[in-house]
Amino acid sequence: MAKIVATLGVAHAPGVTGWIDKAPQHEQDGVLAGYARFQQLMDEVRPDVVIGIANDHLLNFSLDNIPDFCVGIGEQWAGPAPWFRDWLNIPDYTVAGHRELGRALVRESAKAGINHAFADKLLFDDNWSVPLKFLFPRYDVRFVPIHMNPIVPPVPSAAHCYAVGETIARIVQQFPSDERVVVMGTGGLSHDPGGKDYFTVHEEFDRWFLELMESGDAERVKRELTFDKLLTGGDGGAGELLAWVVAMGAAGVCGNTRAETVFYVPSVPMRCGMGGVYWRLD
């Protein structure tokens, strides 16, 4: 059967590829070293497949028709979407999909009482383009994207996101292959795209959230990580951290809910609290 070898949560902010040169040198060094450490961790666990969860950013779905989660079941993915190429400053890339696993995630989640949308064509922006560039620069994994809605009310609760992660892990563990799988939530930390706090990083919120992930206390996450609490980290931005909760739920099924913080850099020029956490799994 397939095996989850690690889960992680990491920022996907476009500033790290689009305008990192605007940040002070120590911020640039800290962020790039953090992503380099994640790449090293991925080289150590050698995944065959990555299941990603991230904000759709209204790129594929409109305000009046956005699913909580949409599983990508395509055989191949390409990015960045044309509108984002110059903004992200990332060369065009392709990455293989995993149709069979994507379909299993949709089918078996429904049996567990969690219904997901699905699509064989999805556009990618910074949600996948940034983490793939840094963590899997050879694009030599099979990728199952799960686009989610963490910003347009009603958003899925932290408890629901945790349950989605648990279900993903159980499905992977029953999937008939010997593939090594990483579950990767991307987005956050504090930021407010185009809002009143666009040039503000809420460091206190970020450090609170990172400590929450480090605590490994799933019940506390479900209780304290409300939508109102997420709004204190930025309207339209910090809600992306719900993707990290999915990764935490998957890690819990595999025996470890306590994350370790890999890096954290509050960067106003990059307009985001930059950072990431990692769950080590045996």
Side-chain angles (χ1 to χ4, degrees), residues 70-77 99 118-122:
C70 178
V71 180
I73 60 171
E75 294 285 6
Q76 189 176 68
W77 306 104
R99 184 174 179 85
F118 59 92
D120 59 7
K121 291 182 175 61
L122 290 167

Side-chain angles (χ1 to χ4, degrees), residues 6-7 47 74 81 87 100 116 126 128 204 225 251:
T7 77
W87 187 48
E100 298 84 2
H116 298 320
D126 52 303
W128 308 123
E204 181 178 358
L225 198 64

Side-chain angles (χ1 to χ4, degrees), residues 210-277:
L210 293 171
E211 187 277 326
L212 186 65
M213 295 292 98
E214 292 168 357
S215 76
D217 188 338
E219 294 308 312
R220 181 183 164 204
V221 170
K222 297 173 189 178
R223 182 176 64 252
E224 296 187 13
L225 198 64
T226 64
F227 189 59
D228 285 342
K229 180 65 175 181
L230 287 165
L231 290 177
T232 67
D235 191 352
E240 294 175 340
L241 293 168
L242 289 170
W244 297 27
V245 177
V246 177
M248 182 185 187
V253 169
C254 300
N256 178 30
T257 56
R258 290 182 178 271
E260 59 185 75
T261 297
V262 175
F263 76 104
Y264 174 63
V265 179
S267 178
V268 172
M270 281 182 265
R271 303 167 200 171
C272 188
M274 301 295 301
V277 300

Side-chain angles (χ1 to χ4, degrees), residues 134-213:
F134 286 108
L135 277 63
F136 309 100
R138 297 178 294 276
Y139 301 100
D140 54 354
V141 293
R142 301 179 76 179
F143 186 53
V144 180
I146 303 179
H147 286 223
M148 69 174 296
N149 167 37
I151 58 173
V152 181
V155 304
S157 67
H160 183 67
C161 291
Y162 193 92
V164 167
E166 290 180 311
T167 302
I168 287 172
R170 293 178 182 127
I171 293 168
V172 170
Q173 290 172 341
Q174 295 300 314
F175 188 74
S177 80
D178 59 358
E179 291 165 306
R180 299 167 63 82
V181 180
V182 163
V183 177
M184 176 179 71
T186 84
L189 290 146
S190 65
H191 63 297
D192 186 10
K196 63 182 179 64
D197 287 339
Y198 191 33
F199 295 99
T200 301
V201 172
H202 295 281
E203 185 172 348
E204 181 178 358
F205 169 87
D206 287 344
R207 294 194 182 278
W208 171 83
F209 180 79
L210 293 171
E211 187 277 326
L212 186 65
M213 295 292 98

Side-chain angles (χ1 to χ4, degrees), residues 35-164:
Y35 279 109
R37 175 58 179 152
F38 267 117
Q39 183 186 343
Q40 181 183 34
L41 290 167
M42 293 299 97
D43 287 344
E44 290 173 3
V45 298
R46 298 174 288 104
D48 303 296
V49 184
V50 176
I51 299 172
I53 307 96
N55 185 5
D56 178 66
H57 295 128
L58 303 179
L59 181 61
N60 294 279
F61 304 100
S62 63
L63 279 167
D64 61 352
N65 185 25
I66 179 169
D68 284 349
F69 296 90
C70 178
V71 180
I73 60 171
E75 294 285 6
Q76 189 176 68
W77 306 104
W83 190 87
F84 293 88
R85 286 173 182 156
D86 291 341
W87 187 48
L88 289 176
N89 193 29
I90 291 176
D92 290 353
Y93 62 87
T94 59
V95 60
H98 197 321
R99 184 174 179 85
E100 298 84 2
L101 181 55
R103 287 169 60 89
L105 290 173
V106 175
R107 181 179 63 251
E108 301 304 320
S109 290
K111 292 178 182 178
I114 297 174
N115 293 317
H116 298 320
F118 59 92
D120 59 7
K121 291 182 175 61
L122 290 167
L123 297 173
F124 288 12
D125 53 24
D126 52 303
N127 53 6
W128 308 123
S129 300
V130 171
L132 287 173
K133 170 183 169 59
F134 286 108
L135 277 63
F136 309 100
R138 297 178 294 276
Y139 301 100
D140 54 354
V141 293
R142 301 179 76 179
F143 186 53
V144 180
I146 303 179
H147 286 223
M148 69 174 296
N149 167 37
I151 58 173
V152 181
V155 304
S157 67
H160 183 67
C161 291
Y162 193 92
V164 167

